[in-house]
CSV table of all heavy atoms in Angstrom, one decimal:
chain,number,residue,atom,x,y,z
A,1,GLY,N,94.7,9.4,60.5
A,1,GLY,CA,95.8,10.1,61.2
A,1,GLY,C,97.1,9.7,60.7
A,1,GLY,O,97.3,9.3,59.5
A,2,THR,N,98.2,9.8,61.5
A,2,THR,CA,99.5,9.5,61.1
A,2,THR,C,99.8,8.0,61.0
A,2,THR,O,99.5,7.3,61.9
A,2,THR,CB,100.5,10.2,62.1
A,2,THR,OG1,100.2,11.6,62.1
A,2,THR,CG2,101.9,10.0,61.6
A,3,VAL,N,100.3,7.6,59.8
A,3,VAL,CA,100.7,6.3,59.6
A,3,VAL,C,102.2,6.3,59.3
A,3,VAL,O,102.7,7.1,58.5
A,3,VAL,CB,100.0,5.6,58.5
A,3,VAL,CG1,100.4,4.2,58.2
A,3,VAL,CG2,98.5,5.6,58.7
A,4,HIS,N,103.0,5.5,60.0
A,4,HIS,CA,104.5,5.4,59.9
A,4,HIS,C,104.9,4.2,59.0
A,4,HIS,O,104.3,3.1,59.2
A,4,HIS,CB,105.1,5.3,61.3
A,4,HIS,CG,106.6,5.2,61.3
A,4,HIS,ND1,107.3,6.4,61.3
A,4,HIS,CD2,107.5,4.2,61.2
A,4,HIS,CE1,108.6,6.1,61.2
A,4,HIS,NE2,108.7,4.7,61.2
A,5,PHE,N,105.8,4.5,58.1
A,5,PHE,CA,106.3,3.4,57.3
A,5,PHE,C,107.8,3.3,57.5
A,5,PHE,O,108.5,4.2,57.5
A,5,PHE,CB,106.1,3.8,55.8
A,5,PHE,CG,104.6,4.0,55.5
A,5,PHE,CD1,104.0,5.2,55.6
A,5,PHE,CD2,103.8,2.9,55.1
A,5,PHE,CE1,102.7,5.4,55.3
A,5,PHE,CE2,102.5,3.0,54.8
A,5,PHE,CZ,101.9,4.3,54.9
A,6,LYS,N,108.3,2.0,57.6
A,6,LYS,CA,109.7,1.7,57.6
A,6,LYS,C,110.0,0.8,56.4
A,6,LYS,O,109.5,-0.3,56.3
A,6,LYS,CB,110.1,1.0,58.9
A,6,LYS,CG,111.5,0.7,59.0
A,6,LYS,CD,112.0,0.2,60.4
A,6,LYS,CE,111.6,-1.2,60.6
A,6,LYS,NZ,112.1,-1.8,61.9
A,7,VAL,N,110.8,1.4,55.5
A,7,VAL,CA,111.1,0.7,54.3
A,7,VAL,C,112.6,0.2,54.4
A,7,VAL,O,113.5,1.0,54.7
A,7,VAL,CB,111.0,1.6,53.1
A,7,VAL,CG1,111.3,0.9,51.8
A,7,VAL,CG2,109.5,2.2,53.0
A,8,THR,N,112.8,-1.1,54.2
A,8,THR,CA,114.2,-1.6,54.2
A,8,THR,C,114.5,-2.2,52.8
A,8,THR,O,114.1,-3.3,52.5
A,8,THR,CB,114.3,-2.7,55.3
A,8,THR,OG1,113.8,-2.2,56.5
A,8,THR,CG2,115.7,-3.2,55.4
A,9,PRO,N,115.2,-1.4,52.0
A,9,PRO,CA,115.6,-1.9,50.7
A,9,PRO,C,117.0,-2.6,50.8
A,9,PRO,O,117.9,-2.2,51.5
A,9,PRO,CB,115.7,-0.7,49.9
A,9,PRO,CG,116.1,0.4,50.8
A,9,PRO,CD,115.5,0.0,52.2
A,10,VAL,N,117.1,-3.8,50.1
A,10,VAL,CA,118.4,-4.5,49.9
A,10,VAL,C,118.5,-4.8,48.4
A,10,VAL,O,117.6,-4.8,47.7
A,10,VAL,CB,118.4,-5.7,50.8
A,10,VAL,CG1,118.4,-5.4,52.3
A,10,VAL,CG2,117.4,-6.7,50.4
A,11,TYR,N,119.8,-5.1,48.1
A,11,TYR,CA,120.0,-5.5,46.7
A,11,TYR,C,119.6,-7.0,46.6
A,11,TYR,O,119.9,-7.8,47.4
A,11,TYR,CB,121.5,-5.4,46.3
A,11,TYR,CG,122.0,-4.0,46.2
A,11,TYR,CD1,122.7,-3.4,47.2
A,11,TYR,CD2,121.6,-3.3,45.1
A,11,TYR,CE1,123.2,-2.1,47.1
A,11,TYR,CE2,122.0,-1.9,44.9
A,11,TYR,CZ,122.8,-1.4,45.9
A,11,TYR,OH,123.2,-0.1,45.8
A,12,THR,N,118.8,-7.3,45.6
A,12,THR,CA,118.3,-8.6,45.4
A,12,THR,C,119.4,-9.6,45.2
A,12,THR,O,119.4,-10.8,45.7
A,12,THR,CB,117.3,-8.7,44.2
A,12,THR,OG1,116.3,-7.7,44.4
A,12,THR,CG2,116.7,-10.1,44.0
A,13,ALA,N,120.5,-9.3,44.5
A,13,ALA,CA,121.6,-10.2,44.2
A,13,ALA,C,122.3,-10.7,45.4
A,13,ALA,O,122.7,-11.8,45.5
A,13,ALA,CB,122.5,-9.5,43.2
A,14,ASN,N,122.5,-9.8,46.4
A,14,ASN,CA,123.4,-10.2,47.6
A,14,ASN,C,122.8,-9.8,48.9
A,14,ASN,O,123.5,-10.0,49.9
A,14,ASN,CB,124.8,-9.5,47.4
A,14,ASN,CG,124.7,-8.0,47.4
A,14,ASN,OD1,123.7,-7.4,47.7
A,14,ASN,ND2,125.8,-7.4,46.9
A,15,SER,N,121.6,-9.3,49.0
A,15,SER,CA,120.9,-8.9,50.3
A,15,SER,C,121.7,-7.9,51.1
A,15,SER,O,121.4,-7.7,52.3
A,15,SER,CB,120.7,-10.2,51.1
A,15,SER,OG,119.8,-11.1,50.5
A,16,GLU,N,122.5,-7.1,50.4
A,16,GLU,CA,123.2,-6.0,51.1
A,16,GLU,C,122.3,-4.8,51.1
A,16,GLU,O,121.5,-4.5,50.2
A,16,GLU,CB,124.5,-5.6,50.3
A,16,GLU,CG,125.6,-6.7,50.4
A,16,GLU,CD,126.2,-6.8,51.8
A,16,GLU,OE1,126.4,-5.7,52.5
A,16,GLU,OE2,126.4,-7.9,52.2
A,17,PRO,N,122.4,-4.0,52.2
A,17,PRO,CA,121.5,-2.8,52.3
A,17,PRO,C,121.9,-1.8,51.2
A,17,PRO,O,123.0,-1.7,50.8
A,17,PRO,CB,121.9,-2.2,53.7
A,17,PRO,CG,122.8,-3.2,54.4
A,17,PRO,CD,123.2,-4.2,53.4
A,18,VAL,N,120.8,-1.1,50.8
A,18,VAL,CA,121.0,-0.1,49.7
A,18,VAL,C,121.3,1.3,50.5
A,18,VAL,O,120.4,1.8,51.1
A,18,VAL,CB,119.8,0.1,48.9
A,18,VAL,CG1,120.0,1.1,47.8
A,18,VAL,CG2,119.4,-1.3,48.2
A,19,ASP,N,122.5,1.7,50.4
A,19,ASP,CA,122.9,3.0,51.0
A,19,ASP,C,122.7,4.1,50.0
A,19,ASP,O,123.0,4.0,48.9
A,19,ASP,CB,124.4,2.9,51.4
A,19,ASP,CG,124.8,4.1,52.3
A,19,ASP,OD1,123.9,4.6,53.0
A,19,ASP,OD2,125.9,4.5,52.1
A,20,GLY,N,122.1,5.2,50.5
A,20,GLY,CA,121.9,6.4,49.7
A,20,GLY,C,120.8,6.3,48.7
A,20,GLY,O,120.8,6.9,47.6
A,21,ALA,N,119.8,5.5,49.0
A,21,ALA,CA,118.7,5.3,48.1
A,21,ALA,C,117.7,6.5,48.2
A,21,ALA,O,117.7,7.2,49.2
A,21,ALA,CB,117.9,4.0,48.4
A,22,ARG,N,116.9,6.6,47.2
A,22,ARG,CA,115.8,7.6,47.2
A,22,ARG,C,114.5,6.8,47.3
A,22,ARG,O,114.3,6.0,46.5
A,22,ARG,CB,115.8,8.4,45.9
A,22,ARG,CG,114.7,9.4,45.9
A,22,ARG,CD,114.8,10.2,44.6
A,22,ARG,NE,113.5,10.9,44.4
A,22,ARG,CZ,113.5,12.2,44.2
A,22,ARG,NH1,114.6,12.9,44.2
A,22,ARG,NH2,112.3,12.8,44.0
A,23,VAL,N,113.8,7.0,48.4
A,23,VAL,CA,112.6,6.2,48.7
A,23,VAL,C,111.4,7.1,48.8
A,23,VAL,O,111.4,8.0,49.6
A,23,VAL,CB,112.8,5.4,50.0
A,23,VAL,CG1,111.5,4.6,50.3
A,23,VAL,CG2,114.0,4.5,50.0
A,24,GLU,N,110.5,6.9,47.9
A,24,GLU,CA,109.3,7.7,47.8
A,24,GLU,C,108.1,6.8,48.1
A,24,GLU,O,108.0,5.7,47.7
A,24,GLU,CB,109.1,8.3,46.4
A,24,GLU,CG,110.1,9.3,46.0
A,24,GLU,CD,109.9,9.9,44.7
A,24,GLU,OE1,108.8,10.6,44.5
A,24,GLU,OE2,110.6,9.6,43.7
A,25,ILE,N,107.1,7.4,48.8
A,25,ILE,CA,105.9,6.7,49.1
A,25,ILE,C,104.7,7.6,48.6
A,25,ILE,O,104.6,8.8,49.0
A,25,ILE,CB,105.7,6.5,50.6
A,25,ILE,CG1,106.9,5.6,51.2
A,25,ILE,CG2,104.4,5.8,51.0
A,25,ILE,CD1,107.0,5.5,52.7
A,26,LEU,N,103.8,7.0,47.8
A,26,LEU,CA,102.7,7.7,47.3
A,26,LEU,C,101.4,6.9,47.7
A,26,LEU,O,101.3,5.7,47.4
A,26,LEU,CB,102.8,7.8,45.8
A,26,LEU,CG,101.6,8.5,45.1
A,26,LEU,CD1,101.4,9.9,45.5
A,26,LEU,CD2,101.7,8.3,43.6
A,27,ALA,N,100.5,7.5,48.4
A,27,ALA,CA,99.2,6.9,48.7
A,27,ALA,C,98.1,7.5,48.0
A,27,ALA,O,98.0,8.7,48.0
A,27,ALA,CB,99.0,7.0,50.2
A,28,THR,N,97.3,6.7,47.3
A,28,THR,CA,96.1,7.2,46.5
A,28,THR,C,94.9,6.5,47.0
A,28,THR,O,94.9,5.3,47.2
A,28,THR,CB,96.3,7.1,45.0
A,28,THR,OG1,96.6,5.7,44.7
A,28,THR,CG2,97.4,8.0,44.5
A,29,SER,N,93.8,7.3,47.0
A,29,SER,CA,92.5,6.7,47.4
A,29,SER,C,91.7,6.5,46.2
A,29,SER,O,91.6,7.3,45.3
A,29,SER,CB,91.8,7.7,48.3
A,29,SER,OG,90.5,7.3,48.5
A,30,SER,N,91.1,5.3,46.1
A,30,SER,CA,90.3,5.0,45.0
A,30,SER,C,88.9,5.7,45.0
A,30,SER,O,88.3,5.9,44.0
A,30,SER,CB,90.1,3.5,44.9
A,30,SER,OG,89.5,3.0,46.1
A,31,GLU,N,88.5,6.0,46.2
A,31,GLU,CA,87.2,6.6,46.3
A,31,GLU,C,87.1,8.1,45.9
A,31,GLU,O,86.2,8.5,45.2
A,31,GLU,CB,86.7,6.5,47.8
A,31,GLU,CG,86.4,5.0,48.1
A,31,GLU,CD,86.8,4.6,49.5
A,31,GLU,OE1,87.0,5.5,50.4
A,31,GLU,OE2,86.9,3.4,49.8
A,32,ASP,N,88.0,8.9,46.4
A,32,ASP,CA,87.9,10.3,46.1
A,32,ASP,C,89.2,10.9,45.4
A,32,ASP,O,89.3,12.1,45.2
A,32,ASP,CB,87.6,11.2,47.3
A,32,ASP,CG,88.6,11.0,48.4
A,32,ASP,OD1,89.7,10.4,48.2
A,32,ASP,OD2,88.4,11.5,49.5
A,33,GLU,N,90.0,9.9,44.9
A,33,GLU,CA,91.2,10.2,44.2
A,33,GLU,C,92.1,11.2,44.9
A,33,GLU,O,92.8,12.0,44.3
A,33,GLU,CB,90.8,10.7,42.8
A,33,GLU,CG,90.1,9.7,42.0
A,33,GLU,CD,89.8,10.1,40.6
A,33,GLU,OE1,90.4,11.1,40.1
A,33,GLU,OE2,89.0,9.4,39.9
A,34,GLU,N,92.1,11.2,46.2
A,34,GLU,CA,93.0,12.0,47.0
A,34,GLU,C,94.3,11.3,47.0
A,34,GLU,O,94.4,10.1,47.0
A,34,GLU,CB,92.4,12.2,48.4
A,34,GLU,CG,93.2,13.2,49.2
A,34,GLU,CD,92.4,13.6,50.4
A,34,GLU,OE1,91.3,13.1,50.7
A,34,GLU,OE2,92.9,14.5,51.1
A,35,ALA,N,95.4,12.1,47.1
A,35,ALA,CA,96.8,11.5,47.2
A,35,ALA,C,97.6,12.1,48.2
A,35,ALA,O,97.5,13.3,48.5
A,35,ALA,CB,97.4,11.6,45.8
A,36,TYR,N,98.5,11.3,48.8
A,36,TYR,CA,99.5,11.8,49.8
A,36,TYR,C,100.8,11.3,49.4
A,36,TYR,O,101.0,10.2,48.9
A,36,TYR,CB,99.2,11.4,51.2
A,36,TYR,CG,97.8,11.8,51.7
A,36,TYR,CD1,96.8,10.8,52.0
A,36,TYR,CD2,97.5,13.1,51.9
A,36,TYR,CE1,95.6,11.2,52.5
A,36,TYR,CE2,96.3,13.5,52.4
A,36,TYR,CZ,95.3,12.6,52.7
A,36,TYR,OH,94.1,12.9,53.1
A,37,HIS,N,101.9,12.1,49.6
A,37,HIS,CA,103.2,11.8,49.1
A,37,HIS,C,104.2,12.2,50.2
A,37,HIS,O,104.1,13.2,50.8
A,37,HIS,CB,103.5,12.6,47.8
A,37,HIS,CG,104.8,12.4,47.3
A,37,HIS,ND1,105.9,13.2,47.5
A,37,HIS,CD2,105.3,11.4,46.5
A,37,HIS,CE1,107.0,12.8,46.9
A,37,HIS,NE2,106.7,11.7,46.2
A,38,THR,N,105.2,11.3,50.3
A,38,THR,CA,106.3,11.6,51.2
A,38,THR,C,107.6,10.9,50.8
A,38,THR,O,107.5,10.0,50.0
A,38,THR,CB,106.0,11.2,52.7
A,38,THR,OG1,107.0,11.8,53.5
A,38,THR,CG2,105.9,9.7,52.9
A,39,PHE,N,108.7,11.4,51.2
A,39,PHE,CA,110.0,10.7,51.0
A,39,PHE,C,110.3,10.0,52.4
A,39,PHE,O,110.2,10.6,53.4
A,39,PHE,CB,111.1,11.7,50.7
A,39,PHE,CG,110.9,12.3,49.3
A,39,PHE,CD1,110.3,13.5,49.1
A,39,PHE,CD2,111.4,11.6,48.2
A,39,PHE,CE1,110.2,14.0,47.8
A,39,PHE,CE2,111.2,12.1,46.9
A,39,PHE,CZ,110.6,13.3,46.7
A,40,ALA,N,110.8,8.8,52.3
A,40,ALA,CA,111.3,8.1,53.5
A,40,ALA,C,112.8,8.4,53.5
A,40,ALA,O,113.5,8.3,52.5
A,40,ALA,CB,111.0,6.6,53.4
A,41,ILE,N,113.3,8.7,54.7
A,41,ILE,CA,114.7,9.0,54.8
A,41,ILE,C,115.3,8.0,55.9
A,41,ILE,O,114.6,7.5,56.8
A,41,ILE,CB,115.0,10.4,55.2
A,41,ILE,CG1,114.3,10.8,56.5
A,41,ILE,CG2,114.6,11.4,54.1
A,41,ILE,CD1,114.7,12.1,57.1
A,42,ASN,N,116.6,7.8,55.7
A,42,ASN,CA,117.3,7.0,56.7
A,42,ASN,C,118.0,7.9,57.7
A,42,ASN,O,118.3,9.0,57.5
A,42,ASN,CB,118.2,6.0,56.1
A,42,ASN,CG,119.3,6.6,55.3
A,42,ASN,OD1,119.3,7.8,55.0
A,42,ASN,ND2,120.3,5.8,54.9
A,43,ARG,N,118.2,7.3,58.9
A,43,ARG,CA,118.9,8.1,60.0
A,43,ARG,C,120.3,7.5,60.2
A,43,ARG,O,120.5,6.3,60.0
A,43,ARG,CB,118.1,7.9,61.3
A,43,ARG,CG,116.6,8.3,61.1
A,43,ARG,CD,115.8,7.9,62.4
A,43,ARG,NE,114.4,8.2,62.2
A,43,ARG,CZ,113.4,7.5,62.8
A,43,ARG,NH1,113.7,6.6,63.7
A,43,ARG,NH2,112.2,7.8,62.5
A,44,PRO,N,121.2,8.3,60.6
A,44,PRO,CA,122.6,7.9,60.9
A,44,PRO,C,122.6,6.7,61.8
A,44,PRO,O,123.5,5.8,61.6
A,44,PRO,CB,123.3,9.1,61.4
A,44,PRO,CG,122.5,10.3,61.0
A,44,PRO,CD,121.1,9.8,60.9
A,45,GLU,N,121.8,6.7,62.8
A,45,GLU,CA,121.8,5.6,63.8
A,45,GLU,C,121.2,4.3,63.3
A,45,GLU,O,121.3,3.2,63.9
A,45,GLU,CB,121.2,6.0,65.1
A,45,GLU,CG,119.7,6.2,65.1
A,45,GLU,CD,119.3,7.6,64.7
A,45,GLU,OE1,120.2,8.4,64.3
A,45,GLU,OE2,118.1,7.9,64.8
A,46,GLU,N,120.5,4.4,62.2
A,46,GLU,CA,119.8,3.2,61.6
A,46,GLU,C,119.8,3.4,60.0
A,46,GLU,O,118.8,3.5,59.4
A,46,GLU,CB,118.3,3.2,62.1
A,46,GLU,CG,117.6,1.9,62.1
A,46,GLU,CD,116.2,2.0,62.6
A,46,GLU,OE1,115.6,3.1,62.6
A,46,GLU,OE2,115.8,1.0,63.1
A,47,PRO,N,121.0,3.3,59.4
A,47,PRO,CA,121.1,3.6,58.0
A,47,PRO,C,120.4,2.7,57.0
A,47,PRO,O,120.1,3.1,55.9
A,47,PRO,CB,122.6,3.6,57.8
A,47,PRO,CG,123.2,2.8,58.9
A,47,PRO,CD,122.3,2.9,60.0
């Protein structure tokens, strides 16, 4: 069913949040080689 992902990227050098990043999630199954793809987006209330 539906699985929700929350990705929090920061800069390694200073731990500052990465604003305006492009975040992609790709899921692949080893058994039947099926794949699912989505983009993760940030919300204004939780940038």
Side-chain angles (χ1 to χ4, degrees):
T2 302
V3 180
H4 181 86
F5 299 91
K6 180 170 77 172
V7 181
T8 307
V10 297
Y11 291 105
T12 303
N14 59 14
S15 297
E16 290 292 319
V18 180
D19 187 36
R22 179 181 167 122
V23 179
E24 295 181 67
I25 302 170
L26 176 66
T28 54
S29 169
S30 58
E31 291 143 17
D32 58 8
E33 298 183 15
E34 189 167 2
Y36 301 114
H37 178 264
T38 190
F39 289 96
I41 58 171
N42 60 349
R43 303 172 187 154
E45 67 273 9
E46 203 179 26

